[in-house]
């Protein structure tokens, strides 16, 4: 007998910039992702911009910003996969119908900030953008699908990011709060679940991905950005509650489980450091409303000096989140010893764990890690939880109008079993939204060929294809899982 509650929210998740396309339609302004090129497992994505009158490209990570003084530019001879993405902007009715056919109880989506405030600085919102999401939410309500809305998912307005150098100025807090307040007022009664920032800890995770951990200036930038985001998030939580006490606001953490590579005490310390810096620092700030004791040590290590006021500290305390949500794809083994067997996800770099299988993109499949994460975080915060991203990015073979993706079914089955165990052990888990429930552009590599969906979309890495949608085998499997409330896996 499975342990999922009768009102458990089964569904899927996407982000505006990875599905919508229509990047310059309906009055939308440019976001940082609109100047991100396509990459691959071997080639990084780049941001394209001009600096001191010259065209530049620099390696870009999901959520990263431009160098100071740069002006983001769309270049005529580059391919930007997010510009069309999978054209959800025009096809949302068809897609929501397919989600409903699977029996979705919820759909997690994000709002493109630049549809609502094209540059982030306007005093009035863009009506066409507000209308678009109203239509989407009404369509979801038609099928009794509860929206979970990420307010900011790696798509800061380019103009704001340039002006405030990627969250290095308090002006960014005000811009975010104005945007979030507009959403809470506009969609009162249509949306109740809100997530303030997608994978807020990505600012710090980026450091470990680059191996050497970045220099002190990078850490100063990341910690200051995070502080302003924590304050923005805390204010948004308070305003959401004032506007509608029924609102439930969550954080959203990139949930990576760290393991030490050996019993060497240096590895144990490194492992602790990864948990502290990459997971608990952000989780504590948003769930406890204060920085953990170890924050002082982390800042000192990189000579970080933050602009934090007493008012900020009071805001953090007053605006703690109502639920803990996170993405979970993999664990990561860290070691101080040399290793030839290095692997990495979009935000991880570690040693290969001999007990785990890896995807073609080097992501470890580790369902036990999900159980561990759920139980550990529940015990620390005692907040209701949701797994708002999970899934396997793989190359799918499209044949006879479908994909036989038993590998994806296996991955998801194991993770659902892990959630079931965590619930049995006492975790208050309320929902599960698999990532990229319909194939979409990869955030890390910009590829379409890295597919997560239950629904195949005919589009390739060069932007060719009809954009037609086809249910995969996993579509019918997930339909059964939802129908049986997690009983039939
Ligand atoms: C998370 C992001 O990091 O992982 C998503 O929130 C992203 O936006 C997902 O798409 C999967 O990563 P990727 O790089 O395979 O798209």
């Amino acid at each position: 007998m499975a342990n999922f509650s009768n009102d458990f929210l089964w569904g899927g998740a996407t982000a505006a910039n990875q599905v919508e396309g229509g990047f310059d339609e309906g009055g939308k302004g440019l976001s940082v992702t609109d100047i991100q090129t396509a990459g691959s497992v071997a080639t990084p994505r780049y941001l394209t911009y001009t600096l001191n009158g010259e065209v530049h490209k620099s390696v870009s990570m999901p959520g990263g910003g431009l160098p100071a003084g740069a002006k983001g530019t769309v270049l005529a001879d580059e391919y930007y996969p997010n510009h069309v993405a999978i054209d959800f902007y025009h096809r949302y009715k068809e897609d929501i119908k397919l989600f409903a056919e699977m029996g979705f109880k919820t759909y997690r989506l994000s709002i493109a900030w630049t549809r609502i405030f094209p540059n982030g600085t306007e005093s009035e919102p863009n009506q066409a953008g507000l209308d678009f999401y109203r239509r989407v939410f009404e369509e979801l309500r038609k099928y009794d699908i509860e929206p979970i809305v990420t307010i900011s998912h790696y798509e800061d307005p380019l103009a704001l990011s340039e002006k405030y150098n990627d969250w290095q100025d308090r002006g960014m807090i005000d811009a975010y709060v104005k945007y979030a307040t507009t959403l809470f007022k506009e969609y009162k009664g249509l949306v109740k679940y809100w997530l303030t920032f997608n994978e807020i800890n990505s600012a710090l995770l980026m450091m470990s991905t680059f191996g050497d951990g970045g220099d002190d200036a990078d850490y100063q930038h990341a910690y200051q950005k995070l502080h302003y985001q924590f304050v923005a998030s805390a204010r948004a939580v308070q305003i959401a509650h004032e506007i509608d006490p029924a609102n439930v606001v969550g954080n959203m953490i990139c949930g990576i489980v760290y393991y030490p590579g050996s019993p060497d005490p240096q590895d144990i310390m490194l492992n602790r450091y990864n948990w502290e810096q990459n997971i608990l620092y952000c989780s504590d700030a948003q769930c406890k409303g204060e920085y953990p004791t170890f924050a002082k040590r982390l800042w000192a290590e990189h000579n970080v000096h933050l602009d934090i006021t007493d008012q900020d500290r009071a805001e953090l305390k007053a605006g703690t989140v109502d639920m803990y949500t996170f993405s979970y794809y993999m664990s990561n083994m860290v070691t101080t010893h040399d290793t030839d067997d290095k692997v990495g996800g979009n935000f991880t770099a570690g040693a290969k764990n001999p007990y785990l299988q890896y995807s073609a993109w080097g992501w470890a499949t580790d369902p036990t890690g999900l159980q561990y994460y759920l139980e550990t975080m529940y015990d620390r915060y005692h907040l209701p939880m949701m797994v708002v991203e999970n899934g396997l990015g793989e190359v799918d073979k499209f044949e006879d109008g479908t994909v036989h993706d038993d590998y994806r079914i296996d991955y998801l089955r194991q993770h659902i079993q892990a959630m079931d165990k965590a619930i049995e052990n006492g975790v208050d888990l309320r929902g599960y939204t698999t990532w990229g429930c319909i194939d979409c552009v990869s955030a890390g590599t910009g590829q379409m060929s890295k597919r997560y969906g239950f629904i195949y979309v005919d589009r390739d890495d060069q932007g060719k294809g009809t954009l037609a949608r086809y249910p995969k085998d996993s579509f019918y499997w997930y339909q059964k899982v939802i129908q049986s409330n997690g009983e039939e896996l």
Side-chain angles (χ1 to χ4, degrees):
M1 186 71 186
N3 292 287
F4 300 97
S5 62
N6 288 336
D7 54 357
F8 190 80
L9 291 171
W10 297 98
T14 61
N17 67 86
Q18 292 171 260
V19 294
E20 282 179 11
F23 84 109
D24 58 357
E25 290 182 58
K28 182 182 171 298
L30 284 182
S31 75
V32 176
T33 27
D34 290 327
I35 55 157
Q36 255 190 318
T37 63
S40 68
V41 74
T43 327
R45 299 187 82 176
Y46 294 104
L47 285 177
T48 55
Y49 55 88
T50 54
L51 184 59
N52 302 325
E54 278 177 28
V55 173
H56 288 265
K57 288 184 189 183
S58 67
V59 175
S60 95
M61 302 284 294
L66 287 165
K71 286 261 164 245
T73 317
V74 173
L75 302 174
D77 55 350
E78 287 288 348
Y79 173 58
Y80 298 92
N82 305 63
H83 286 191
V84 174
I86 59 157
D87 196 32
F88 179 84
Y89 188 65
H90 298 109
R91 295 165 195 250
Y92 66 91
K93 284 193 179 171
E94 183 189 349
D95 294 342
I96 291 172
K97 193 162 180 249
L98 286 165
F99 299 157
E101 206 179 313
M102 268 187 281
F104 275 22
K105 310 277 183 219
T106 188
Y107 171 46
R108 172 180 172 234
L109 69 164
S110 74
I111 290 185
W113 188 336
T114 48
R115 285 202 193 282
I116 310 300
F117 290 100
N119 288 316
T121 47
E122 296 82 356
S123 52
E124 292 303 318
N126 170 34
Q127 193 57 45
L130 292 175
D131 292 346
F132 170 66
Y133 292 106
R134 176 169 291 278
R135 289 196 297 273
V136 171
F137 297 140
E138 283 172 351
E139 195 67 14
L140 289 168
R141 291 279 166 210
K142 197 166 114 187
Y143 296 104
D144 272 337
I145 299 177
E146 181 76 50
I148 299 176
V149 175
T150 318
I151 297 169
S152 173
H153 190 132
Y154 298 151
E155 47 212 319
D156 286 346
L158 189 53
L160 275 188
S161 188
E162 290 167 354
K163 182 171 179 195
Y164 295 127
N165 185 17
D166 181 35
W167 286 91
Q168 295 306 298
D169 189 291
R170 284 179 181 273
M172 202 68 191
I173 303 177
D174 297 332
Y176 176 91
V177 169
K178 180 180 66 177
Y179 161 56
T181 306
T182 305
L183 302 184
F184 300 144
K185 286 189 179 153
E186 181 71 22
Y187 303 122
K188 183 174 173 178
L190 273 175
V191 178
K192 120 174 176 201
Y193 292 109
W194 302 92
L195 311 182
T196 53
F197 288 93
N198 183 66
E199 295 186 335
I200 195 165
N201 52 331
S202 59
L204 287 168
L205 284 166
M206 282 180 206
M207 306 294 177
S208 47
T209 311
F210 291 127
D212 62 357
D215 58 23
D216 284 0
D218 295 330
Y219 277 94
Q220 172 69 35
H221 185 103
Y223 280 113
Q224 189 63 68
K225 171 176 177 171
L226 280 173
H227 178 68
Y228 291 151
Q229 291 190 333
F230 295 150
V231 175
S233 170
R235 266 197 221 163
V237 171
Q238 296 170 74
I239 295 167
H241 291 159
E242 278 160 27
I243 292 176
D244 188 350
N247 277 328
V248 178
V249 190
N251 62 344
M252 198 306 204
I253 299 283
C254 178
I256 293 167
V257 166
Y258 292 92
Y259 299 132
S262 79
D264 178 347
Q266 294 313 313
D267 278 7
I268 304 300
M269 292 303 269
L270 178 66
N271 186 52
R272 185 184 76 163
Y273 175 82
N274 272 279
W275 274 103
E276 289 174 344
Q277 178 191 266
N278 294 339
I279 306 293
L280 301 174
Y281 180 85
C282 292
S283 302
D284 279 8
Q286 292 189 289
C287 300
K288 295 184 173 178
E290 61 186 26
Y291 285 107
T293 318
F294 59 74
K296 225 172 150 184
R297 171 159 48 79
L298 295 181
W299 296 331
E301 197 168 315
H302 294 291
N303 211 13
V304 168
H305 299 281
L306 295 185
D307 165 33
I308 305 182
T309 64
D310 288 346
Q311 169 70 16
D312 291 349
R313 291 191 193 274
E315 299 239 38
L316 295 190
K317 258 292 178 232
T320 54
V321 291
D322 306 314
M323 64 174 174
Y324 188 106
T325 89
F326 66 105
S327 59
Y328 179 79
Y329 294 90
M330 69 197 117
S331 55
N332 187 32
M333 195 168 84
V334 293
T335 179
T336 54
H337 298 275
D338 284 342
T339 169
D340 295 335
D341 245 353
K342 275 210 167 160
V343 280
N346 53 356
F347 284 127
T348 56
K352 198 159 191 171
N353 186 329
Y355 301 98
L356 300 176
Q357 301 286 323
Y358 287 80
S359 78
W361 278 265
W363 295 29
T365 298
D366 183 9
T368 307
L370 176 57
Q371 184 192 340
Y372 181 85
Y373 194 92
L374 278 165
E375 293 174 4
T376 308
M377 293 301 143
Y378 186 68
D379 220 32
R380 191 174 178 101
Y381 303 115
H382 294 281
L383 286 173
M385 298 186 79
M386 285 195 198
V387 179
V388 293
E389 285 186 31
N390 175 238
L392 178 67
E394 266 302 340
V395 175
D396 283 342
K397 197 163 160 214
F398 182 70
E399 48 190 2
D400 305 327
T402 191
V403 176
H404 301 299
D405 54 345
D406 40 321
Y407 38 90
R408 182 166 295 111
I409 295 173
D410 278 349
Y411 178 101
L412 296 172
R413 178 188 295 119
Q414 292 176 55
H415 287 79
I416 293 173
Q417 283 165 341
M419 293 190 305
D420 195 7
K421 275 192 201 142
I423 298 173
E424 192 178 349
N425 292 340
V427 174
D428 180 6
L429 182 62
R430 307 270 176 102
Y432 177 61
T433 56
T434 67
W435 176 250
C437 45
I438 179 164
D439 291 346
C440 60
V441 177
S442 154
T445 66
Q447 292 168 294
M448 270 304 299
S449 54
K450 189 180 189 192
R451 296 173 183 274
Y452 288 85
F454 301 116
I455 302 162
Y456 183 88
V457 177
D458 179 17
R459 190 162 174 88
D460 68 13
D461 290 343
Q462 287 73 44
K464 294 196 198 74
T466 61
L467 287 164
R469 276 70 166 144
Y470 302 89
K472 304 179 191 175
D473 284 357
S474 55
F475 180 100
Y476 300 103
W477 171 80
Y478 198 46
Q479 190 179 52
K480 225 172 40 178
V481 173
I482 299 177
Q483 250 166 30
S484 64
N485 203 25
E487 201 68 51
E488 277 182 58
L489 295 177

